[in-house]
Amino acid sequence: MNESQRLVARRDYLERLTNAQTIEELWQLHCAKMADFGFDRLIYGFTRYRTATSLGDPEDFVILTNHSTEYTDSFLGKGLYFHAPMVRWALEHEGASSWSIVEDMVNSGALTDSERSVIEFNRKLGVTAGFSISFKSISPRTKGAIALTARPGVSQAEVDTMWETYGRDIVVMNNVAHLKILTLPYAGPTRGLTKRQREALQWVGDGKTTADIALLMGLTSATVEKHLRLAREALNVETTAQAVLKAAFLNQMFVLEN
């Protein structure tokens, strides 16, 4: 592919990406595009609930990946990510980094036993070469990053050589994908709202009382309270105001019905 063809391909990708209507559509496009550069396995993560000692409740993370369940069941399900050296790097830095720095960490003795265990786990499953991108945060409580894993058998030196030519393009594509993800509705495994729960929260967000909402929705006040209670439970919050805020964070408040 010559430079003119690559430019057309990049424009086509960015146009389709920015017009994506769902996270599923966006993620499929992005995985296919990154595979063109040799990255066949990706993990994207984002939290709005970071503190000095925690990344928040894992069920509130936005997690997107095309890794195998064999990998994600341990890396995500068993919390290995919390001890991953490149996750630590992403929390402390912004921008892109080659995974060659992991070898530097090993050689310098800067890793804990838990971090060394994660490296060994990654090696067993062929997660050995790649790049990580840590996105710029607009708040101390937010953090997003993506790990781009090269195909098995590809060396880090080969990835680094490719990055010298296409790295800036890859960073821009991932930045756009990240910003687009933040605009799309997302419901984790236990964070989805029903249509009625969403409508009730929308009216609360508009400043309506329970009695007002009951009249507007054609329901009893008790039924409205039930929908609000179930919304709080689904979003794992204590108050309805918190539910409105979290639903807004997840872009679930005002959703166009297909």
Side-chain angles (χ1 to χ4, degrees):
M1 183 182 293
N2 60 39
E3 185 56 36
S4 177
Q5 291 171 320
R6 281 194 289 268
L7 178 60
V8 171
R10 285 196 296 269
R11 287 175 175 172
D12 179 64
Y13 160 78
L14 290 172
E15 182 176 33
R16 294 172 66 194
L17 186 81
T18 52
N19 284 324
Q21 295 298 299
T22 66
I23 283 185
E24 292 78 12
E25 179 187 357
L26 176 148
W27 190 241
Q28 184 178 13
L29 281 169
H30 194 58
C31 287
K33 191 61 181 177
M34 291 302 100
D36 290 344
F37 294 99
F39 299 116
D40 67 338
R41 290 158 293 166
L42 318 178
I43 294 183
Y44 168 89
F46 179 75
T47 179
R48 293 184 183 274
Y49 302 98
R50 181 186 182 189
T51 66
T53 58
S54 171
L55 293 176
D57 185 343
E59 291 192 4
D60 289 328
F61 297 167
V62 177
I63 297 289
L64 304 173
T65 183
N66 63 344
H67 273 270
S68 67
T69 55
E70 180 185 10
Y71 185 79
T72 58
D73 283 351
S74 292
F75 190 76
L76 299 175
K78 296 181 180 179
L80 294 185
Y81 69 89
F82 194 72
H83 303 287
M86 290 309 299
V87 171
R88 174 158 63 93
W89 175 87
L91 293 174
E92 297 172 352
H93 299 82
E94 292 180 339
S97 176
S98 164
W99 290 3
S100 62
I101 68 170
V102 173
E103 194 65 30
D104 296 337
M105 293 178 187
V106 172
N107 294 335
S108 67
L111 298 179
T112 65
D113 290 342
S114 295
E115 289 172 330
R116 289 178 182 276
S117 295
V118 174
I119 292 173
E120 185 57 33
F121 168 76
N122 282 339
R123 284 174 177 165
K124 287 179 179 178
L125 293 184
V127 180
T128 57
F131 260 78
S132 289
I133 300 173
S134 179
F135 302 110
K136 289 185 179 296
S137 298
I138 59 172
S139 160
R141 301 207 67 189
T142 64
K143 191 60 195 179
I146 190 167
L148 310 172
T149 303
R151 294 186 177 93
V154 176
S155 71
Q156 186 63 53
E158 291 173 305
V159 176
D160 291 344
T161 297
M162 179 278 296
W163 195 270
E164 290 178 4
T165 302
Y166 302 113
R168 290 184 66 188
D169 288 338
I170 295 170
V171 169
V172 169
M173 291 176 185
N174 279 277
N175 282 342
V176 174
H178 167 62
L179 294 173
K180 181 65 178 182
I181 288 169
L182 299 186
T183 72
L184 293 172
Y186 178 79
T190 61
R191 296 293 190 254
L193 297 173
T194 67
K195 186 176 180 179
R196 284 296 203 183
Q197 291 165 11
R198 182 181 299 112
E199 185 179 0
L201 286 180
Q202 288 171 354
W203 287 121
V204 171
D206 282 343
K208 303 299 182 183
T209 66
T210 300
D212 293 334
I213 297 170
L215 182 63
L216 290 163
M217 294 181 66
L219 304 171
T220 65
S221 293
T223 302
V224 170
E225 288 288 1
K226 181 193 74 172
H227 286 310
L228 293 175
R229 174 178 57 80
L230 292 174
R232 293 193 297 270
E233 291 175 358
L235 295 168
N236 193 31
V237 296
E238 295 181 0
T239 69
T240 300
Q242 289 174 317
V244 170
L245 180 62
K246 182 172 279 190
F249 278 162
L250 297 173
N251 299 309
Q252 290 192 48
M253 279 293 282
F254 298 95
V255 180
L256 292 174
E257 301 290 342
N258 292 325

